[in-house]
Amino acid sequence: MTFKEAINWVAVFLQGIAAILWIASTLVRVKAADVVAEYQKTYGAGSGPSQIVTEDGDDFGATIKRQAYWNKWAAMMTGIGIATQAIANALPS
């Protein structure tokens, strides 16, 4: 295996990790009850946050925020993978 082929396989591996991260981002959910419990720890037992609750009992806003976190890592891994692929393609055969 040449150095160029090895770099290509590293790029494939990194893109695989990015794909797993993006799939994980679609599976992330934050239960509304968990958001309320965390809010009440900070602001007291009689208080509650403003929420949009889905049919499944998830907090829409908190779920979007958590999914954005996973999407950020997936996008960064994709960028690194693309840069690695570009380096591999720039190398002489």
Side-chain angles (χ1 to χ4, degrees), residues 4 7 11-13 19 26-27 51 64-65 68 76-77 82 84:
K4 183 174 182 171
I7 296 295
V12 168
F13 176 74
T26 67
L27 302 174
Q51 291 181 298
I64 293 295
K65 185 176 179 182
M76 284 194 284
M77 190 59 63
I82 289 170
T84 304

Side-chain angles (χ1 to χ4, degrees), residues 18 30 40 47 66 68:
V30 179
Q40 289 178 348
S47 62
R66 180 97 34 99

Side-chain angles (χ1 to χ4, degrees), residues 2-26:
T2 66
F3 182 67
K4 183 174 182 171
E5 290 171 340
I7 296 295
N8 271 321
W9 281 109
V10 169
V12 168
F13 176 74
L14 293 172
Q15 295 300 340
I17 291 173
I20 291 168
L21 288 170
W22 253 310
I23 290 169
S25 78
T26 67

Side-chain angles (χ1 to χ4, degrees), residues 59-82:
D59 182 296
F60 183 75
T63 296
I64 293 295
K65 185 176 179 182
R66 180 97 34 99
Q67 287 176 343
Y69 172 82
W70 284 95
N71 281 326
K72 172 186 76 172
W73 286 104
M76 284 194 284
M77 190 59 63
T78 298
I80 294 168
I82 289 170

Side-chain angles (χ1 to χ4, degrees), residues 31-47:
K31 292 292 179 192
D34 296 340
V35 173
V36 170
E38 190 63 34
Y39 189 88
Q40 289 178 348
K41 283 181 188 176
T42 305
Y43 298 104
S47 62

